[in-house]
Amino acid sequence: MKKWILLLSVLLMCSPLQASAEGWGFEKNKQGGIPDVGRYGPMIEEHDGFYVDQSGEKTIYFTFDNGYEQGYTDDVLDVLKEQEVPAAFFVTGHYINSAPDLLKRMVKEGHTVGNHSWSHPDFTTSSKEKIKQELDKVESAVADITEQKTMTFLRPPRGTFNSRTLEWTRELGYIHAFWSIAFVDWETNQQKGWEYAFDNVMEQVHPGAVILLHTVSKDNAEALEQLIIELRKRGYQFGSLNDLLVKKLLPFPIVSL
């Protein structure tokens, strides 16, 4: 009997998660406020994750998911450089292997490269060891070809998570970076013009927004400059995810004496 109990314990430790999967989502807020994410908010906060800057400051955070390259990332980087706006790019193994020069450019120009996993699996059906392998492989590959040697921010593949994956990835040194603005922009054969992307972002905009965009979108690449210009007209500034993290850790502003 003791042998069976021991075997069962080992199997439970090594098996995929039994907890249900959650998919990040919320009802869009088109009234200039932060969307209500319900019970997801406390779930991610417990493990230091975030989806918005809660400070109330008119700061915007641009983030891009990069699973593969469609020819528009150079254009996105050109706009960010010209407008002096920081961004975070969450990359997969496929992107690292297929677009190393773009990855080098991101880091060289001061952007943050985040972890989107090596093969884009559903973490909620993966063991902790499998998740670690996925994340380590991305971090190591990025460190091999760029000046960025460590990673802090994780965007879970497929947007799926649960309390266990939040706990495990935090133990591995990662902070989940979700988002408060997004729309269906990744369908490359259903692009609708830059105004469509512009309108979708601007109708949801609010102070502290973390915006999720995909660089495979022609619409996004063409709308980005107009978005930045219009947001500045409305009094917004732009920050990096590192800035947001500092605000979370130091909620009171640092005052020079």
Side-chain angles (χ1 to χ4, degrees):
M1 177 61 74
K2 290 183 178 179
K3 290 182 178 179
W4 281 108
I5 293 174
L6 179 60
L7 177 59
L8 180 59
S9 299
V10 172
L11 288 173
L12 288 173
M13 290 174 61
C14 297
S15 66
L17 301 182
Q18 302 301 313
S20 61
E22 307 283 0
W24 183 256
F26 47 81
E27 185 175 350
K28 294 179 181 179
N29 186 329
K30 299 182 181 181
Q31 308 303 317
I34 297 172
D36 180 8
V37 300
R39 61 190 177 83
Y40 290 167
M43 281 182 69
I44 66 171
E45 281 287 338
E46 182 180 353
H47 301 287
D48 302 320
F50 60 83
Y51 69 100
V52 71
D53 175 357
Q54 300 276 8
S55 71
E57 296 178 1
K58 296 187 74 171
T59 305
I60 297 290
Y61 304 87
F62 276 112
T63 71
F64 298 86
D65 282 4
N66 293 67
Y68 63 98
E69 179 54 34
Q70 190 74 2
Y72 302 115
T73 305
D74 257 328
D75 295 336
V76 167
L77 288 168
D78 286 346
V79 171
L80 295 173
K81 183 177 182 180
E82 181 180 343
Q83 295 294 326
E84 298 183 336
V85 170
F89 294 87
F90 290 88
V91 300
T92 63
H94 181 278
Y95 195 88
I96 295 167
N97 286 334
S98 63
D101 289 342
L102 288 172
L103 202 67
K104 293 174 185 177
R105 183 180 174 188
M106 292 169 190
V107 174
K108 183 178 180 180
E109 295 181 359
H111 302 297
T112 300
V113 176
N115 206 319
H116 200 37
S117 79
W118 186 261
S119 62
H120 209 256
D122 181 348
F123 277 2
T124 67
T125 62
S126 302
S127 67
K128 184 178 182 181
E129 182 57 32
K130 171 63 175 176
I131 293 173
K132 184 178 187 303
Q133 291 172 0
E134 287 278 331
L135 299 178
D136 285 353
K137 198 169 182 181
V138 170
E139 182 172 353
S140 177
V142 170
D144 284 345
I145 62 176
T146 77
E147 294 302 310
Q148 181 178 307
K149 303 307 179 185
T150 61
M151 284 187 167
T152 301
F153 303 106
L154 164 66
R155 180 153 287 160
R158 313 183 193 191
T160 57
F161 66 100
N162 58 30
S163 57
R164 190 70 66 84
T165 63
L166 290 168
E167 177 184 351
W168 283 353
T169 52
R170 189 68 191 97
E171 289 173 355
L172 294 171
Y174 282 90
I175 292 175
H176 271 66
F178 289 101
W179 57 91
S180 62
I181 293 179
F183 65 100
V184 178
D185 63 346
W186 59 85
E187 296 177 342
T188 58
N189 61 344
Q190 295 188 40
Q191 298 294 288
K192 301 176 182 180
W194 72 266
E195 295 95 339
Y196 177 79
F198 178 90
D199 291 342
N200 265 277
V201 171
M202 294 307 302
E203 71 181 7
Q204 300 179 66
V205 111
H206 59 83
V210 177
I211 302 176
L212 164 60
L213 298 172
H214 290 79
T215 56
V216 295
S217 166
K218 181 175 184 288
D219 291 353
N220 290 344
E222 294 179 351
L224 185 58
E225 184 173 19
Q226 293 305 316
L227 281 170
I228 293 170
I229 291 171
E230 180 61 26
L231 287 165
R232 280 195 170 123
K233 286 181 181 178
R234 299 190 187 190
Y236 285 93
Q237 60 184 350
F238 303 94
S240 70
L241 293 190
N242 286 323
D243 297 331
L244 196 162
L245 186 58
V246 168
K247 286 184 184 181
K248 279 175 60 67
L249 297 175
L250 300 172
F252 303 102
I254 300 174
V255 178
S256 299
L257 299 178

